[in-house]
Amino acid sequence: AQSVTQPDIHITVSEGASLELRCNYSYGATPYLFWYVQSPGQGLQLLLKYFSGDTLVQGIKGFEAEFKRSQSSFNLRKPSVHWSDAAEYFCAVLDFGNEKLTFGTGTRLTIIP
Amino acid sequence: NAGVTQTPKFQVLKTGQSMTLQCAQDMNHNSMYWYRQDPGMGLRLIYYSASEGTTDKGEVPNGYNVSRLNKREFSLRLESAAPSQTSVYFCASSPSGGARQETQYFGPGTRLLVL
């Protein structure tokens, strides 16, 4: 069965600093990978997704993620964070067989002035 | 176009009570899902429906039942609520049960407290 690991439960960065959120996956074939963001009290919004092709994926709100097969990773990055980026971020992998998403446990991002 | 809507937004139940969480989508999606979100656990799939008239168990189905009333609506029922079912429940939908590149769209969630 597939799995997703987000090793950082909570990250704090200063506004304007760069950001990298880690995601490692376990899946037997080429994965379909997603990053979602959840603002406080809200549902989940898709940031970006990787299916195939270019391993550097651009998403909304200035986020990007890089798929690295050799490291089984799909890390999320942003060059300069804004206070509005404070949220919880979830990485997920799609299982081809049953088309179900498996989520990581999430990383909570705090932005300090 | 409201996307995915859920009712109620918040509910308090006593142990043993029953209730139904409602979900509707107006995007003509075939697949619909129910998740629960608990601290430190991420989102876990309870049930899903690949198309109207079909439902299947997810990772944590015990204590729940679902009904795909029509293409738009997918309800989640707790027949006898337990404190362990205190959680935030999210409904989601995706365009096609057969596609490989589908994206799931999430509702705003229902916060359930079982006393």
Side-chain angles (χ1 to χ4, degrees):
Chain A
Q2 73 274 20
S3 65
V4 176
T5 301
Q6 293 180 248
D8 304 305
I9 296 173
H10 185 205
I11 286 182
T12 300
V13 299
S14 299
E15 190 168 15
S18 63
L19 171 70
E20 183 169 24
L21 302 183
R22 296 184 290 165
C23 172
N24 294 97
Y25 68 89
S26 172
Y27 189 69
T30 300
Y32 283 176
L33 295 160
F34 303 78
W35 274 101
Y36 281 86
V37 60
Q38 184 181 29
S39 299
Q42 302 297 313
L44 277 73
Q45 181 183 22
L46 180 70
L47 280 177
L48 48 79
K49 57 189 176 185
Y50 169 78
F51 292 143
S52 64
D54 193 345
T55 56
L56 185 62
V57 181
Q58 302 296 322
I60 63 171
K61 303 184 180 185
F63 285 92
E64 67 178 25
E66 186 171 14
F67 171 63
K68 293 185 177 180
R69 184 187 303 274
S70 62
Q71 298 177 19
S72 298
S73 69
F74 188 55
N75 293 349
L76 182 71
R77 302 194 294 246
K78 187 170 185 177
S80 176
V81 297
H82 185 263
W83 64 265
S84 60
D85 294 324
E88 190 150 19
Y89 292 79
F90 292 93
C91 182
V93 63
L94 181 69
D95 184 317
F96 288 172
N98 54 29
E99 298 178 359
K100 297 177 189 174
L101 274 179
T102 297
F103 286 87
T105 52
T107 297
R108 184 161 62 93
L109 176 63
T110 297
I111 309 295
I112 56 176
Chain B
N1 187 334
V4 180
T5 57
Q6 294 182 234
T7 56
K9 291 185 178 180
F10 183 71
Q11 183 72 47
V12 179
L13 290 178
K14 295 181 180 179
T15 297
Q17 287 185 318
S18 62
M19 79 160 296
T20 300
L21 281 65
Q22 305 287 352
C23 174
Q25 52 90 11
D26 62 2
M27 297 176 283
N28 200 35
H29 286 173
N30 287 318
S31 298
M32 297 185 74
Y33 311 82
W34 275 106
Y35 294 90
R36 60 177 290 172
Q37 182 181 31
D38 303 292
M41 304 288 287
L43 277 79
R44 294 180 292 169
L45 183 65
I46 305 171
Y47 270 93
Y48 74 104
S49 170
S51 62
E52 183 179 353
T54 67
T55 61
D56 207 347
K57 295 179 180 179
E59 182 182 356
V60 288
N62 291 343
Y64 305 95
N65 285 300
V66 291
S67 179
R68 184 75 183 267
L69 304 170
N70 46 56
K71 192 170 185 178
R72 289 188 64 249
E73 299 172 289
F74 188 39
S75 61
L76 179 72
R77 183 160 179 83
L78 287 70
E79 291 290 352
S80 178
S84 61
Q85 294 178 303
T86 293
S87 187
V88 182
Y89 292 85
F90 288 99
C91 178
S93 69
S94 61
S96 171
R100 299 304 187 190
Q101 299 187 9
E102 58 195 71
T103 296
Q104 292 186 18
Y105 298 84
F106 285 79
T110 294
R111 295 181 178 275
L112 177 66
L113 174 62
V114 183
L115 302 175

